[in-house]
């Protein structure tokens, strides 16, 4: 029995040595001479090299998501509306003869989201008025559509509205929703006026407005703060910030 036990022990030892030799040989062949398992300690990148990892998402974003209105309901200054503007800042509109240089520039912080200084615009209001549903997608995934990006300044531009779906998808909005409210208008747009009508649909990267009148498609001119506004004109501005 002792002899048989010794023989079995030697056989088991030989099998173990053979197994280890086979595993080691396999590793040498697979890893090209490195006799240890190759477990990646950093992410494996397509194509190799030192390209940093990126997350690519392909959401199903099509009509009407791209052209629909993002912030539903009436404008309420105490609510926070999402978009490219900072809801807690006031902005001045910079007019230029070159359309691509027209934009909103932050002028100051506001504690109540109202900007009642002459010709200042509330960032919270602009998010409500001009943000299409695709813009929050862009903001989360890429930071937004950059039309100017330098070491000192970045301009974001709203999504282009093609007009698809018409006013049924992005209605012409009114501030206030009904009646008159000059304090609401002044806090949102800096105009001491009773009410304002706005249009986004079909205007590409622009917004159109008219004070004390519904017709935003008659006598339309570019908005220039230096010239003021009157109720005989509709005005068009570029939504870049």
């Amino acid at each position: 029995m002792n002899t048989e036990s010794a023989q079995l022990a030697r056989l088991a030892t030989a099998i173990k040595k053979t197994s280890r030799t086979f595993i080691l040989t396999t590793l040498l062949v697979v890893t090209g001479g490195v006799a240890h398992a190759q477990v990646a300690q950093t992410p494996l990148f397509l194509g190799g090299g030192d390209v940093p990892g990126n997350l690519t998402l392909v959401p199903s974003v099509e009509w009407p998501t791209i052209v629909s209105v993002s912030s539903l309901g009436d404008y309420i200054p105490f609510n926070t509306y999402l978009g490219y503007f900072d809801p807690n800042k006031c902005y001045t509109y910079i007019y230029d003869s070159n359309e691509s240089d027209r934009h909103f520039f932050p002028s100051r912080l506001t504690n109540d989201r109202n900007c009642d200084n002459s010709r200042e615009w509330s960032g919270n209001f602009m998010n409500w008025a001009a943000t299409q549903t695709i813009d929050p997608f862009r903001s989360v995934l890429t930071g937004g559509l950059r039309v100017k990006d330098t070491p000192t300044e970045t301009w974001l531009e709203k999504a282009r509205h093609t007009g698809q779906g018409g006013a049924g998808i992005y209605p012409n909005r009114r501030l206030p929703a009904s009646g008159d409210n000059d304090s609401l208008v002044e806090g949102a747009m800096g105009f001491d006026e009773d009410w304002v009508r706005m249009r986004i649909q079909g205007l590409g990267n622009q917004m159109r407005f008219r004070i004390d009148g519904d017709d935003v498609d008659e006598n339309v001119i570019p908005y220039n703060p230096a010239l003021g506004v009157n109720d005989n004109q509709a005005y068009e501005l570029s939504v870049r910030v």
Side-chain angles (χ1 to χ4, degrees):
M1 293 294 293
N2 290 339
T3 302
E4 291 180 358
S5 297
Q7 290 176 342
L8 290 173
R10 286 194 296 272
L11 178 59
T13 300
I15 292 173
K16 288 180 181 179
K17 289 182 178 180
T18 303
S19 298
R20 283 198 293 269
T21 301
F22 173 76
I23 294 172
L24 178 59
T25 303
T26 303
L27 284 172
L28 288 170
V29 172
V30 172
T31 64
V34 181
H36 59 271
Q38 295 294 289
V39 179
Q41 301 302 307
T42 57
L44 300 176
F45 304 129
L46 183 64
D50 296 324
V51 179
N54 291 278
L55 175 63
T56 301
L57 301 177
V58 187
S60 177
V61 181
E62 66 281 329
W63 186 89
T65 301
I66 292 177
V67 294
S68 61
V69 59
S70 176
S71 300
L72 302 176
D74 301 338
Y75 177 64
I76 302 174
F78 298 109
N79 293 345
T80 299
Y81 301 98
L82 301 179
Y84 293 149
F85 292 78
D86 187 329
N88 297 309
K89 287 182 181 178
C90 298
Y91 293 81
T92 55
Y93 184 70
I94 309 300
Y95 171 80
D96 194 276
S97 58
N98 183 3
E99 188 278 327
S100 63
D101 288 328
R102 300 170 192 168
H103 65 286
F104 287 86
F105 189 85
S107 53
R108 63 183 175 95
L109 293 170
T110 172
N111 294 324
D112 58 4
R113 297 177 184 141
N114 283 313
C115 302
D116 51 6
N117 285 357
S118 178
R119 305 296 180 264
E120 279 191 326
W121 297 69
S122 164
N124 198 46
F125 166 76
M126 286 302 299
N127 284 342
W128 173 83
T131 301
Q132 293 165 219
T133 308
I134 191 62
D135 287 319
F137 273 90
R138 284 179 167 175
S139 180
V140 170
L141 293 176
T142 67
L145 176 60
R146 291 169 172 82
V147 293
K148 181 177 182 179
D149 205 1
T150 73
T152 59
E153 195 171 30
T154 297
W155 294 8
L156 301 178
E157 182 177 282
K158 72 173 286 295
R160 184 174 64 93
H161 201 292
T162 63
Q164 188 176 14
I169 298 298
Y170 207 121
N172 293 348
R173 312 183 90 177
R174 191 184 193 275
L175 185 74
S178 61
D180 298 340
N181 191 332
D182 58 345
S183 62
L184 181 64
V185 173
E186 188 173 12
M189 308 171 72
F191 302 131
D192 186 15
E193 303 291 344
D194 293 330
W195 61 279
V196 180
R197 176 72 71 184
M198 290 83 63
R199 173 182 169 179
I200 289 291
Q201 57 92 13
L203 298 180
N205 64 352
Q206 297 187 317
M207 182 176 89
R208 195 175 290 172
F209 69 93
R210 189 183 189 113
I211 60 171
D212 298 340
D214 283 314
D215 194 348
V216 289
D217 300 317
E218 182 182 358
N219 298 328
V220 181
I221 63 173
Y223 171 58
N224 184 347
L227 302 179
V229 294
N230 63 73
D231 56 10
N232 295 320
Q233 303 273 182
Y235 298 91
E236 208 163 64
L237 51 79
S238 301
V239 185
R240 301 186 188 92
V241 58

